[in-house]
Amino acid sequence: MTSNPTSRDYNKASVLDVVLTRAPLTRNELIELTGLSKATVSRAVEELRADGFVIDGGVDEVVGRGRRSTYLDVPGTTGHVVGIGFGAQTTCVLVTDLRGREIHHVTVPTADHDEVGAGAEWLVGMIAKAGESAQGPLRQVVAAVPGRVRNGEEIFGPAESMKIFVGSDLQRAMADLINAPVLLDSDANASLLGILTSDATVRNAALFSLSTNLNFASCTDRELARGRTPAFGDIGVLSSGVDDEILDELLSTRGLLRFARGRGLDLERIEDLWLEPHEEMPHAEVLEVFTTAIATAVSVVAVTLDPESVYFVGRLRPLVEEVLPEVRRRLDQSLPAVPEVKAVTQVIGLSTAQGAVYAGLALVQDRLRNAVLGARRQSQPAERSAPAF
């Protein structure tokens, strides 16, 4: 005979949710955050301690009289997650515990691969290196790539140097090499998730990742939009508002470098566009078309998605900052309501890996909650068994 979860099981799951997202914290803080009684929280904590999900993590300093409170924490033995920023130029592998605290990260230039299996082996080798000091089992791997991703498996429209990874072969190859679930996501989704995690006030937003290629993400009520087809998020195919150029050609490092060279600017790399002095006329022309493309991109999402905020990240961010005042002026003239437009500074590779980690943590926490609620179904109602996680 089995039994469905009881209110006691749901209380236990609620306590675990708070511990996983807020630890280390005291029992008093746990009571306040869950809204549960002291007795209910104490019982849930003891059960979670017996399951191996909670440990004592130090003592709270109390001024004056009073009993010191013991901090509750998540043990490292519960496991760890891996987030990967698998970029066209830079790759970062970040390992954290189940509270999202960094264990180690490794950032290296992205290696060239002629075969998907070799690329998967390279990434798995980096995971092993970054996770050498991690405790407990590897619970989840999320790799963010410069392209659109469907169902956590299939890659569409990646950067030119990563065309070999189109499709689902990379996800399958990594899953075959590592004893943990593996999912893929876009670098834009990972970047937006990082912003959502750091700022709880953001609800409806759009994000453009301007690097080797143009990538796009959006959210409504803090929920990332995924779309039904591979075409979703391919905003780069739209007109830039400049001659026959599409957005991807002017809002990517590859495309903008080509355009600038075609206008007579001698650029070795795209960063030289804003770091080195140039002839006034060609430089002004490039800035003008870039400004128009940025204003067009914001206008498109403003009238279709109605975001409160629009973010720009990636290697072209310094140039976005330079033209933003003019972009805002143009938007004020053309739109009845202008979203807040920001250029966000990120650490190349690491920031994307952090967003991938947040996605991985959410998946693991959902599975752990379901394991707590499902434990009773795996045993007789009178028995108490540790969740099978």
Side-chain angles (χ1 to χ4, degrees), residues 19-349:
V19 172
L20 285 173
T21 56
R22 299 293 291 271
L25 77 172
T26 65
R27 279 177 171 78
N28 287 338
E29 290 172 326
L30 194 51
I31 291 168
E32 180 180 353
L33 290 168
T34 60
L36 300 172
S37 70
K38 180 178 180 180
T40 298
V41 168
S42 295
R43 181 172 59 242
V45 166
E46 292 312 307
E47 290 181 3
L48 290 169
R49 189 197 307 277
D51 295 340
F53 296 144
V54 172
I55 58 171
D56 291 335
V59 177
D60 185 20
E61 293 293 334
V62 176
V63 179
R65 294 184 177 183
R67 181 179 178 183
R68 291 181 174 181
S69 298
T70 302
Y71 279 108
L72 302 172
D73 209 340
V74 181
T77 52
T78 306
H80 56 286
V81 299
V82 169
I84 304 174
F86 186 25
Q89 294 194 342
T90 303
T91 294
C92 177
V93 174
L94 171 65
V95 182
T96 76
D97 65 12
L98 296 194
R99 259 292 286 121
R101 293 169 293 204
E102 179 176 333
I103 296 172
H104 190 57
H105 79 268
V106 177
T107 303
V108 299
T110 299
D112 292 329
H113 297 103
D114 297 326
E115 193 264 326
V116 174
E121 290 179 2
W122 182 72
L123 288 173
V124 170
M126 287 189 61
I127 291 172
K129 180 179 179 181
E132 287 177 348
S133 60
Q135 295 179 292
L138 174 56
R139 298 294 189 182
Q140 180 72 53
V141 176
V142 176
V145 300
R148 304 185 310 282
V149 176
R150 184 174 64 170
N151 298 329
E153 298 177 356
E154 295 180 89
I155 301 174
F156 297 91
E160 188 66 31
S161 61
M162 302 182 76
K163 291 291 188 183
I164 187 176
F165 298 112
V166 168
S168 56
D169 287 348
L170 178 63
Q171 189 273 337
R172 286 199 296 260
M174 291 183 66
D176 288 342
L177 292 171
I178 201 164
N179 186 28
V182 177
L183 286 177
L184 307 179
D185 208 342
S186 73
D187 57 359
N189 276 345
S191 293
L192 183 53
L193 184 56
I195 291 172
L196 293 174
T197 303
S198 63
D199 188 348
T201 66
V202 178
R203 303 204 62 82
N204 305 311
L207 179 142
F208 293 92
S209 178
L210 279 53
S211 289
T212 306
N213 64 339
L214 170 63
N215 217 354
F216 174 75
S218 64
C219 68
T220 302
D221 289 334
R222 299 181 64 80
E223 183 81 17
L224 289 179
R226 299 290 180 178
R228 297 178 294 102
T229 70
F232 180 79
D234 192 12
I235 201 166
V237 301
L238 300 178
S239 171
S240 67
V242 179
D243 299 329
D244 294 328
E245 302 284 354
I246 60 174
L247 286 174
D248 188 51
E249 288 300 310
L250 297 180
L251 298 185
S252 67
T253 58
R254 167 191 49 80
L256 190 60
L257 189 60
R258 174 197 61 78
F259 184 90
R261 287 171 175 170
R263 295 306 184 272
L265 292 181
D266 184 18
L267 304 179
E268 182 177 347
R269 54 178 192 151
I270 193 62
E271 287 80 4
D272 293 339
L273 185 59
W274 56 86
L275 294 178
E276 301 291 339
H278 301 286
E279 293 183 32
E280 184 174 347
M281 288 301 293
H283 186 256
E285 183 181 0
V286 173
L287 286 185
E288 169 62 24
V289 300
F290 185 74
T291 302
T292 299
I294 293 290
T296 299
V298 175
S299 297
V300 168
V301 299
V303 300
T304 57
L305 300 177
D306 193 27
E308 299 161 335
S309 305
V310 177
Y311 300 96
F312 288 89
V313 300
R315 288 176 61 197
L316 292 179
R317 177 198 55 79
L319 197 60
V320 175
E321 288 186 330
E322 184 174 344
V323 304
L324 263 187
E326 174 61 18
V327 168
R328 293 189 180 108
R329 188 190 68 80
R330 296 185 188 185
L331 293 174
D332 284 336
Q333 292 180 341
S334 62
L335 295 176
V338 180
E340 184 177 25
V341 185
K342 297 181 180 180
V344 180
T345 302
Q346 293 188 321
V347 180
I348 294 177

